[in-house]
PDB file of all heavy atoms in Angstrom:
ATOM      1  N   PHE A   1      -6.751  -1.230  -1.142  1.00 98.00           N
ATOM      2  CA  PHE A   1      -5.828  -1.040  -2.251  1.00 98.00           C
ATOM      3  C   PHE A   1      -4.804  -2.163  -2.258  1.00 98.00           C
ATOM      4  O   PHE A   1      -4.449  -2.720  -1.218  1.00 98.00           O
ATOM      5  CB  PHE A   1      -5.152   0.337  -2.227  1.00 98.00           C
ATOM      6  CG  PHE A   1      -4.507   0.747  -0.931  1.00 98.00           C
ATOM      7  CD1 PHE A   1      -3.132   0.755  -0.788  1.00 98.00           C
ATOM      8  CD2 PHE A   1      -5.280   1.155   0.150  1.00 98.00           C
ATOM      9  CE1 PHE A   1      -2.528   1.157   0.400  1.00 98.00           C
ATOM     10  CE2 PHE A   1      -4.691   1.557   1.349  1.00 98.00           C
ATOM     11  CZ  PHE A   1      -3.313   1.556   1.466  1.00 98.00           C
ATOM     12  N   ASP A   2      -4.360  -2.516  -3.464  1.00 98.00           N
ATOM     13  CA  ASP A   2      -3.380  -3.593  -3.621  1.00 98.00           C
ATOM     14  C   ASP A   2      -2.397  -3.220  -4.721  1.00 98.00           C
ATOM     15  O   ASP A   2      -2.645  -2.319  -5.530  1.00 98.00           O
ATOM     16  CB  ASP A   2      -4.069  -4.931  -3.927  1.00 98.00           C
ATOM     17  CG  ASP A   2      -4.794  -4.939  -5.271  1.00 98.00           C
ATOM     18  OD1 ASP A   2      -4.150  -4.776  -6.321  1.00 98.00           O
ATOM     19  OD2 ASP A   2      -6.035  -5.124  -5.277  1.00 98.00           O
ATOM     20  N   ILE A   3      -1.291  -3.960  -4.750  1.00 98.00           N
ATOM     21  CA  ILE A   3      -0.257  -3.716  -5.752  1.00 98.00           C
ATOM     22  C   ILE A   3       0.638  -4.933  -5.871  1.00 98.00           C
ATOM     23  O   ILE A   3       0.783  -5.710  -4.915  1.00 98.00           O
ATOM     24  CB  ILE A   3       0.580  -2.458  -5.404  1.00 98.00           C
ATOM     25  CG1 ILE A   3       1.446  -2.033  -6.595  1.00 98.00           C
ATOM     26  CG2 ILE A   3       1.416  -2.688  -4.141  1.00 98.00           C
ATOM     27  CD1 ILE A   3       1.982  -0.620  -6.497  1.00 98.00           C
ATOM     28  N   GLY A   4       1.222  -5.128  -7.058  1.00 98.00           N
ATOM     29  CA  GLY A   4       2.173  -6.207  -7.265  1.00 98.00           C
ATOM     30  C   GLY A   4       3.537  -5.843  -6.713  1.00 98.00           C
ATOM     31  O   GLY A   4       3.964  -4.689  -6.784  1.00 98.00           O
ATOM     32  N   VAL A   5       4.239  -6.831  -6.189  1.00 98.00           N
ATOM     33  CA  VAL A   5       5.542  -6.556  -5.578  1.00 98.00           C
ATOM     34  C   VAL A   5       6.616  -6.236  -6.612  1.00 98.00           C
ATOM     35  O   VAL A   5       7.710  -5.803  -6.254  1.00 98.00           O
ATOM     36  CB  VAL A   5       5.995  -7.731  -4.683  1.00 98.00           C
ATOM     37  CG1 VAL A   5       5.092  -7.867  -3.474  1.00 98.00           C
ATOM     38  CG2 VAL A   5       6.054  -9.035  -5.479  1.00 98.00           C
ATOM     39  N   GLU A   6       6.323  -6.440  -7.889  1.00 98.00           N
ATOM     40  CA  GLU A   6       7.260  -6.061  -8.955  1.00 98.00           C
ATOM     41  C   GLU A   6       6.872  -4.741  -9.598  1.00 98.00           C
ATOM     42  O   GLU A   6       7.459  -4.347 -10.622  1.00 98.00           O
ATOM     43  CB  GLU A   6       7.288  -7.165 -10.018  1.00 98.00           C
ATOM     44  CG  GLU A   6       7.711  -8.533  -9.488  1.00 98.00           C
ATOM     45  CD  GLU A   6       7.317  -9.651 -10.438  1.00 98.00           C
ATOM     46  OE1 GLU A   6       7.552  -9.499 -11.652  1.00 98.00           O
ATOM     47  OE2 GLU A   6       6.770 -10.659  -9.972  1.00 98.00           O
ATOM     48  N   ASP A   7       5.929  -4.035  -9.024  1.00 98.00           N
ATOM     49  CA  ASP A   7       5.407  -2.795  -9.599  1.00 98.00           C
ATOM     50  C   ASP A   7       6.274  -1.606  -9.204  1.00 98.00           C
ATOM     51  O   ASP A   7       6.714  -1.487  -8.051  1.00 98.00           O
ATOM     52  CB  ASP A   7       3.971  -2.576  -9.118  1.00 98.00           C
ATOM     53  CG  ASP A   7       3.212  -1.571  -9.956  1.00 98.00           C
ATOM     54  OD1 ASP A   7       3.687  -0.418 -10.072  1.00 98.00           O
ATOM     55  OD2 ASP A   7       2.151  -1.926 -10.481  1.00 98.00           O
ATOM     56  N   THR A   8       6.478  -0.705 -10.150  1.00 95.00           N
ATOM     57  CA  THR A   8       7.249   0.513  -9.907  1.00 95.00           C
ATOM     58  C   THR A   8       6.694   1.327  -8.748  1.00 95.00           C
ATOM     59  O   THR A   8       7.446   1.959  -7.995  1.00 95.00           O
ATOM     60  CB  THR A   8       7.244   1.390 -11.171  1.00 95.00           C
ATOM     61  OG1 THR A   8       7.826   0.661 -12.251  1.00 95.00           O
ATOM     62  CG2 THR A   8       8.012   2.684 -10.957  1.00 95.00           C
ATOM     63  N   TRP A   9       5.377   1.307  -8.587  1.00 97.00           N
ATOM     64  CA  TRP A   9       4.729   2.187  -7.612  1.00 97.00           C
ATOM     65  C   TRP A   9       4.492   1.508  -6.268  1.00 97.00           C
ATOM     66  O   TRP A   9       3.721   2.026  -5.443  1.00 97.00           O
ATOM     67  CB  TRP A   9       3.426   2.721  -8.204  1.00 97.00           C
ATOM     68  CG  TRP A   9       3.648   3.352  -9.533  1.00 97.00           C
ATOM     69  CD1 TRP A   9       3.276   2.851 -10.748  1.00 97.00           C
ATOM     70  CD2 TRP A   9       4.353   4.574  -9.811  1.00 97.00           C
ATOM     71  NE1 TRP A   9       3.686   3.690 -11.763  1.00 97.00           N
ATOM     72  CE2 TRP A   9       4.356   4.751 -11.216  1.00 97.00           C
ATOM     73  CE3 TRP A   9       4.982   5.541  -9.013  1.00 97.00           C
ATOM     74  CZ2 TRP A   9       4.944   5.838 -11.836  1.00 97.00           C
ATOM     75  CZ3 TRP A   9       5.578   6.625  -9.628  1.00 97.00           C
ATOM     76  CH2 TRP A   9       5.557   6.778 -11.018  1.00 97.00           C
ATOM     77  N   LEU A  10       5.175   0.397  -6.025  1.00 97.00           N
ATOM     78  CA  LEU A  10       5.050  -0.291  -4.744  1.00 97.00           C
ATOM     79  C   LEU A  10       5.386   0.618  -3.559  1.00 97.00           C
ATOM     80  O   LEU A  10       4.633   0.652  -2.572  1.00 97.00           O
ATOM     81  CB  LEU A  10       5.932  -1.541  -4.738  1.00 97.00           C
ATOM     82  CG  LEU A  10       5.995  -2.340  -3.436  1.00 97.00           C
ATOM     83  CD1 LEU A  10       4.616  -2.886  -3.060  1.00 97.00           C
ATOM     84  CD2 LEU A  10       7.009  -3.483  -3.558  1.00 97.00           C
ATOM     85  N   PRO A  11       6.491   1.390  -3.578  1.00 96.00           N
ATOM     86  CA  PRO A  11       6.790   2.263  -2.428  1.00 96.00           C
ATOM     87  C   PRO A  11       5.685   3.276  -2.143  1.00 96.00           C
ATOM     88  O   PRO A  11       5.445   3.635  -0.990  1.00 96.00           O
ATOM     89  CB  PRO A  11       8.094   2.955  -2.836  1.00 96.00           C
ATOM     90  CG  PRO A  11       8.712   2.038  -3.847  1.00 96.00           C
ATOM     91  CD  PRO A  11       7.564   1.445  -4.597  1.00 96.00           C
ATOM     92  N   HIS A  12       5.005   3.732  -3.192  1.00 96.00           N
ATOM     93  CA  HIS A  12       3.935   4.707  -3.011  1.00 96.00           C
ATOM     94  C   HIS A  12       2.763   4.098  -2.249  1.00 96.00           C
ATOM     95  O   HIS A  12       2.140   4.753  -1.411  1.00 96.00           O
ATOM     96  CB  HIS A  12       3.475   5.241  -4.368  1.00 96.00           C
ATOM     97  CG  HIS A  12       4.525   6.032  -5.081  1.00 96.00           C
ATOM     98  ND1 HIS A  12       5.680   5.461  -5.565  1.00 96.00           N
ATOM     99  CD2 HIS A  12       4.608   7.356  -5.383  1.00 96.00           C
ATOM    100  CE1 HIS A  12       6.424   6.398  -6.138  1.00 96.00           C
ATOM    101  NE2 HIS A  12       5.800   7.552  -6.034  1.00 96.00           N
ATOM    102  N   ASN A  13       2.442   2.848  -2.550  1.00 98.00           N
ATOM    103  CA  ASN A  13       1.352   2.184  -1.838  1.00 98.00           C
ATOM    104  C   ASN A  13       1.737   1.903  -0.387  1.00 98.00           C
ATOM    105  O   ASN A  13       0.909   2.041   0.519  1.00 98.00           O
ATOM    106  CB  ASN A  13       0.973   0.891  -2.562  1.00 98.00           C
ATOM    107  CG  ASN A  13       0.116   1.145  -3.788  1.00 98.00           C
ATOM    108  OD1 ASN A  13      -1.069   0.862  -3.806  1.00 98.00           O
ATOM    109  ND2 ASN A  13       0.731   1.687  -4.830  1.00 98.00           N
ATOM    110  N   ARG A  14       2.979   1.524  -0.165  1.00 97.00           N
ATOM    111  CA  ARG A  14       3.421   1.290   1.210  1.00 97.00           C
ATOM    112  C   ARG A  14       3.410   2.583   2.011  1.00 97.00           C
ATOM    113  O   ARG A  14       3.075   2.586   3.204  1.00 97.00           O
ATOM    114  CB  ARG A  14       4.818   0.657   1.199  1.00 97.00           C
ATOM    115  CG  ARG A  14       4.815  -0.785   0.722  1.00 97.00           C
ATOM    116  CD  ARG A  14       6.207  -1.374   0.652  1.00 97.00           C
ATOM    117  NE  ARG A  14       6.160  -2.810   0.361  1.00 97.00           N
ATOM    118  CZ  ARG A  14       7.224  -3.566   0.105  1.00 97.00           C
ATOM    119  NH1 ARG A  14       8.452  -3.010   0.117  1.00 97.00           N
ATOM    120  NH2 ARG A  14       7.091  -4.847  -0.158  1.00 97.00           N
ATOM    121  N   ASP A  15       3.752   3.690   1.362  1.00 97.00           N
ATOM    122  CA  ASP A  15       3.747   4.961   2.067  1.00 97.00           C
ATOM    123  C   ASP A  15       2.320   5.381   2.405  1.00 97.00           C
ATOM    124  O   ASP A  15       2.062   5.878   3.515  1.00 97.00           O
ATOM    125  CB  ASP A  15       4.426   6.040   1.222  1.00 97.00           C
ATOM    126  CG  ASP A  15       4.565   7.351   1.978  1.00 97.00           C
ATOM    127  OD1 ASP A  15       5.312   7.377   2.971  1.00 97.00           O
ATOM    128  OD2 ASP A  15       3.915   8.341   1.590  1.00 97.00           O
ATOM    129  N   PHE A  16       1.383   5.183   1.478  1.00 98.00           N
ATOM    130  CA  PHE A  16      -0.010   5.536   1.762  1.00 98.00           C
ATOM    131  C   PHE A  16      -0.576   4.644   2.862  1.00 98.00           C
ATOM    132  O   PHE A  16      -1.324   5.107   3.733  1.00 98.00           O
ATOM    133  CB  PHE A  16      -0.842   5.428   0.491  1.00 98.00           C
ATOM    134  CG  PHE A  16      -2.263   5.903   0.655  1.00 98.00           C
ATOM    135  CD1 PHE A  16      -2.547   7.179   1.115  1.00 98.00           C
ATOM    136  CD2 PHE A  16      -3.327   5.060   0.347  1.00 98.00           C
ATOM    137  CE1 PHE A  16      -3.861   7.616   1.271  1.00 98.00           C
ATOM    138  CE2 PHE A  16      -4.635   5.483   0.496  1.00 98.00           C
ATOM    139  CZ  PHE A  16      -4.906   6.766   0.952  1.00 98.00           C
ATOM    140  N   ASP A  17      -0.213   3.372   2.841  1.00 98.00           N
ATOM    141  CA  ASP A  17      -0.608   2.459   3.921  1.00 98.00           C
ATOM    142  C   ASP A  17      -0.118   2.988   5.271  1.00 98.00           C
ATOM    143  O   ASP A  17      -0.871   3.021   6.258  1.00 98.00           O
ATOM    144  CB  ASP A  17      -0.038   1.075   3.638  1.00 98.00           C
ATOM    145  CG  ASP A  17      -0.206   0.109   4.807  1.00 98.00           C
ATOM    146  OD1 ASP A  17      -1.310   0.042   5.372  1.00 98.00           O
ATOM    147  OD2 ASP A  17       0.784  -0.568   5.155  1.00 98.00           O
ATOM    148  N   ALA A  18       1.138   3.421   5.314  1.00 97.00           N
ATOM    149  CA  ALA A  18       1.703   3.945   6.556  1.00 97.00           C
ATOM    150  C   ALA A  18       0.993   5.230   6.988  1.00 97.00           C
ATOM    151  O   ALA A  18       0.750   5.446   8.184  1.00 97.00           O
ATOM    152  CB  ALA A  18       3.200   4.204   6.382  1.00 97.00           C
ATOM    153  N   SER A  19       0.634   6.073   6.019  1.00 97.00           N
ATOM    154  CA  SER A  19      -0.060   7.324   6.345  1.00 97.00           C
ATOM    155  C   SER A  19      -1.427   7.053   6.948  1.00 97.00           C
ATOM    156  O   SER A  19      -1.819   7.671   7.948  1.00 97.00           O
ATOM    157  CB  SER A  19      -0.206   8.189   5.084  1.00 97.00           C
ATOM    158  OG  SER A  19       1.054   8.615   4.614  1.00 97.00           O
ATOM    159  N   LEU A  20      -2.181   6.131   6.363  1.00 98.00           N
ATOM    160  CA  LEU A  20      -3.495   5.790   6.900  1.00 98.00           C
ATOM    161  C   LEU A  20      -3.379   5.152   8.277  1.00 98.00           C
ATOM    162  O   LEU A  20      -4.197   5.408   9.169  1.00 98.00           O
ATOM    163  CB  LEU A  20      -4.232   4.855   5.949  1.00 98.00           C
ATOM    164  CG  LEU A  20      -4.685   5.437   4.609  1.00 98.00           C
ATOM    165  CD1 LEU A  20      -5.427   4.373   3.802  1.00 98.00           C
ATOM    166  CD2 LEU A  20      -5.564   6.668   4.797  1.00 98.00           C
ATOM    167  N   THR A  21      -2.349   4.325   8.448  1.00 97.00           N
ATOM    168  CA  THR A  21      -2.136   3.675   9.743  1.00 97.00           C
ATOM    169  C   THR A  21      -1.859   4.713  10.824  1.00 97.00           C
ATOM    170  O   THR A  21      -2.395   4.632  11.943  1.00 97.00           O
ATOM    171  CB  THR A  21      -0.981   2.672   9.650  1.00 97.00           C
ATOM    172  OG1 THR A  21      -1.303   1.665   8.680  1.00 97.00           O
ATOM    173  CG2 THR A  21      -0.715   2.007  10.991  1.00 97.00           C
ATOM    174  N   ARG A  22      -1.041   5.713  10.511  1.00 96.00           N
ATOM    175  CA  ARG A  22      -0.755   6.771  11.489  1.00 96.00           C
ATOM    176  C   ARG A  22      -2.016   7.554  11.851  1.00 96.00           C
ATOM    177  O   ARG A  22      -2.170   8.008  12.985  1.00 96.00           O
ATOM    178  CB  ARG A  22       0.326   7.710  10.942  1.00 96.00           C
ATOM    179  CG  ARG A  22       1.744   7.165  11.066  1.00 96.00           C
ATOM    180  CD  ARG A  22       2.779   8.224  10.731  1.00 96.00           C
ATOM    181  NE  ARG A  22       2.756   8.565   9.315  1.00 96.00           N
ATOM    182  CZ  ARG A  22       3.504   7.963   8.390  1.00 96.00           C
ATOM    183  NH1 ARG A  22       4.331   6.976   8.733  1.00 96.00           N
ATOM    184  NH2 ARG A  22       3.439   8.324   7.131  1.00 96.00           N
ATOM    185  N   LEU A  23      -2.922   7.699  10.866  1.00 96.00           N
ATOM    186  CA  LEU A  23      -4.163   8.422  11.132  1.00 96.00           C
ATOM    187  C   LEU A  23      -5.183   7.564  11.876  1.00 96.00           C
ATOM    188  O   LEU A  23      -6.195   8.076  12.346  1.00 96.00           O
ATOM    189  CB  LEU A  23      -4.785   8.888   9.808  1.00 96.00           C
ATOM    190  CG  LEU A  23      -4.197  10.134   9.148  1.00 96.00           C
ATOM    191  CD1 LEU A  23      -4.831  10.339   7.779  1.00 96.00           C
ATOM    192  CD2 LEU A  23      -4.424  11.360  10.032  1.00 96.00           C
ATOM    193  N   GLY A  24      -4.924   6.265  11.956  1.00 97.00           N
ATOM    194  CA  GLY A  24      -5.874   5.365  12.590  1.00 97.00           C
ATOM    195  C   GLY A  24      -7.062   5.030  11.718  1.00 97.00           C
ATOM    196  O   GLY A  24      -8.144   4.721  12.217  1.00 97.00           O
ATOM    197  N   VAL A  25      -6.879   5.098  10.393  1.00 97.00           N
ATOM    198  CA  VAL A  25      -7.971   4.864   9.449  1.00 97.00           C
ATOM    199  C   VAL A  25      -8.058   3.383   9.106  1.00 97.00           C
ATOM    200  O   VAL A  25      -7.066   2.772   8.686  1.00 97.00           O
ATOM    201  CB  VAL A  25      -7.766   5.686   8.159  1.00 97.00           C
ATOM    202  CG1 VAL A  25      -8.891   5.400   7.166  1.00 97.00           C
ATOM    203  CG2 VAL A  25      -7.696   7.171   8.482  1.00 97.00           C
ATOM    204  N   VAL A  26      -9.233   2.822   9.263  1.00 95.00           N
ATOM    205  CA  VAL A  26      -9.461   1.431   8.885  1.00 95.00           C
ATOM    206  C   VAL A  26      -9.277   1.290   7.376  1.00 95.00           C
ATOM    207  O   VAL A  26      -9.863   2.040   6.594  1.00 95.00           O
ATOM    208  CB  VAL A  26     -10.884   0.990   9.280  1.00 95.00           C
ATOM    209  CG1 VAL A  26     -11.170  -0.417   8.774  1.00 95.00           C
ATOM    210  CG2 VAL A  26     -11.064   1.068  10.783  1.00 95.00           C
ATOM    211  N   HIS A  27      -8.458   0.322   6.964  1.00 98.00           N
ATOM    212  CA  HIS A  27      -8.267   0.082   5.532  1.00 98.00           C
ATOM    213  C   HIS A  27      -7.729  -1.318   5.308  1.00 98.00           C
ATOM    214  O   HIS A  27      -7.264  -1.979   6.243  1.00 98.00           O
ATOM    215  CB  HIS A  27      -7.327   1.122   4.928  1.00 98.00           C
ATOM    216  CG  HIS A  27      -5.919   1.073   5.467  1.00 98.00           C
ATOM    217  ND1 HIS A  27      -5.576   1.532   6.725  1.00 98.00           N
ATOM    218  CD2 HIS A  27      -4.760   0.617   4.917  1.00 98.00           C
ATOM    219  CE1 HIS A  27      -4.271   1.366   6.919  1.00 98.00           C
ATOM    220  NE2 HIS A  27      -3.759   0.802   5.833  1.00 98.00           N
ATOM    221  N   ASP A  28      -7.805  -1.766   4.079  1.00 98.00           N
ATOM    222  CA  ASP A  28      -7.378  -3.102   3.680  1.00 98.00           C
ATOM    223  C   ASP A  28      -6.294  -2.934   2.616  1.00 98.00           C
ATOM    224  O   ASP A  28      -6.576  -2.462   1.512  1.00 98.00           O
ATOM    225  CB  ASP A  28      -8.585  -3.865   3.127  1.00 98.00           C
ATOM    226  CG  ASP A  28      -8.253  -5.292   2.695  1.00 98.00           C
ATOM    227  OD1 ASP A  28      -7.067  -5.598   2.495  1.00 98.00           O
ATOM    228  OD2 ASP A  28      -9.198  -6.092   2.541  1.00 98.00           O
ATOM    229  N   TYR A  29      -5.056  -3.271   2.953  1.00 98.00           N
ATOM    230  CA  TYR A  29      -3.934  -3.134   2.015  1.00 98.00           C
ATOM    231  C   TYR A  29      -3.307  -4.493   1.761  1.00 98.00           C
ATOM    232  O   TYR A  29      -3.007  -5.222   2.712  1.00 98.00           O
ATOM    233  CB  TYR A  29      -2.883  -2.172   2.567  1.00 98.00           C
ATOM    234  CG  TYR A  29      -1.612  -2.123   1.738  1.00 98.00           C
ATOM    235  CD1 TYR A  29      -1.663  -1.862   0.375  1.00 98.00           C
ATOM    236  CD2 TYR A  29      -0.378  -2.378   2.315  1.00 98.00           C
ATOM    237  CE1 TYR A  29      -0.507  -1.827  -0.390  1.00 98.00           C
ATOM    238  CE2 TYR A  29       0.784  -2.343   1.561  1.00 98.00           C
ATOM    239  CZ  TYR A  29       0.715  -2.078   0.192  1.00 98.00           C
ATOM    240  OH  TYR A  29       1.857  -2.047  -0.560  1.00 98.00           O
ATOM    241  N   ARG A  30      -3.080  -4.825   0.483  1.00 98.00           N
ATOM    242  CA  ARG A  30      -2.524  -6.128   0.136  1.00 98.00           C
ATOM    243  C   ARG A  30      -1.460  -6.000  -0.952  1.00 98.00           C
ATOM    244  O   ARG A  30      -1.581  -5.159  -1.847  1.00 98.00           O
ATOM    245  CB  ARG A  30      -3.634  -7.069  -0.336  1.00 98.00           C
ATOM    246  CG  ARG A  30      -4.707  -7.282   0.740  1.00 98.00           C
ATOM    247  CD  ARG A  30      -5.853  -8.114   0.235  1.00 98.00           C
ATOM    248  NE  ARG A  30      -6.906  -8.173   1.241  1.00 98.00           N
ATOM    249  CZ  ARG A  30      -7.308  -9.291   1.850  1.00 98.00           C
ATOM    250  NH1 ARG A  30      -6.738 -10.448   1.565  1.00 98.00           N
ATOM    251  NH2 ARG A  30      -8.268  -9.249   2.742  1.00 98.00           N
ATOM    252  N   GLU A  31      -0.446  -6.854  -0.842  1.00 98.00           N
ATOM    253  CA  GLU A  31       0.584  -6.975  -1.874  1.00 98.00           C
ATOM    254  C   GLU A  31       0.544  -8.401  -2.416  1.00 98.00           C
ATOM    255  O   GLU A  31       0.386  -9.355  -1.654  1.00 98.00           O
ATOM    256  CB  GLU A  31       1.962  -6.665  -1.298  1.00 98.00           C
ATOM    257  CG  GLU A  31       2.098  -5.226  -0.815  1.00 98.00           C
ATOM    258  CD  GLU A  31       3.447  -4.958  -0.140  1.00 98.00           C
ATOM    259  OE1 GLU A  31       4.298  -5.885  -0.126  1.00 98.00           O
ATOM    260  OE2 GLU A  31       3.633  -3.848   0.382  1.00 98.00           O
ATOM    261  N   TYR A  32       0.688  -8.513  -3.742  1.00 98.00           N
ATOM    262  CA  TYR A  32       0.624  -9.805  -4.408  1.00 98.00           C
ATOM    263  C   TYR A  32       1.794  -9.935  -5.390  1.00 98.00           C
ATOM    264  O   TYR A  32       2.419  -8.936  -5.759  1.00 98.00           O
ATOM    265  CB  TYR A  32      -0.669  -9.950  -5.202  1.00 98.00           C
ATOM    266  CG  TYR A  32      -1.943  -9.901  -4.411  1.00 98.00           C
ATOM    267  CD1 TYR A  32      -2.729  -8.750  -4.396  1.00 98.00           C
ATOM    268  CD2 TYR A  32      -2.378 -11.005  -3.689  1.00 98.00           C
ATOM    269  CE1 TYR A  32      -3.925  -8.708  -3.687  1.00 98.00           C
ATOM    270  CE2 TYR A  32      -3.573 -10.965  -2.973  1.00 98.00           C
ATOM    271  CZ  TYR A  32      -4.335  -9.824  -2.978  1.00 98.00           C
ATOM    272  OH  TYR A  32      -5.509  -9.783  -2.270  1.00 98.00           O
ATOM    273  N   PRO A  33       2.084 -11.134  -5.853  1.00 98.00           N
ATOM    274  CA  PRO A  33       3.024 -11.269  -6.966  1.00 98.00           C
ATOM    275  C   PRO A  33       2.461 -10.545  -8.191  1.00 98.00           C
ATOM    276  O   PRO A  33       1.245 -10.519  -8.400  1.00 98.00           O
ATOM    277  CB  PRO A  33       3.081 -12.779  -7.204  1.00 98.00           C
ATOM    278  CG  PRO A  33       2.582 -13.405  -5.948  1.00 98.00           C
ATOM    279  CD  PRO A  33       1.583 -12.444  -5.376  1.00 98.00           C
TER     280      PRO A  33
END
């Protein structure tokens, strides 16, 4: 999953990234302009 750093929903993607990381789930997360 990816998201722009000017996007309203940026915190939501960062939170989901953190949730998957805590679970130890392999995933690919990226932020772009």
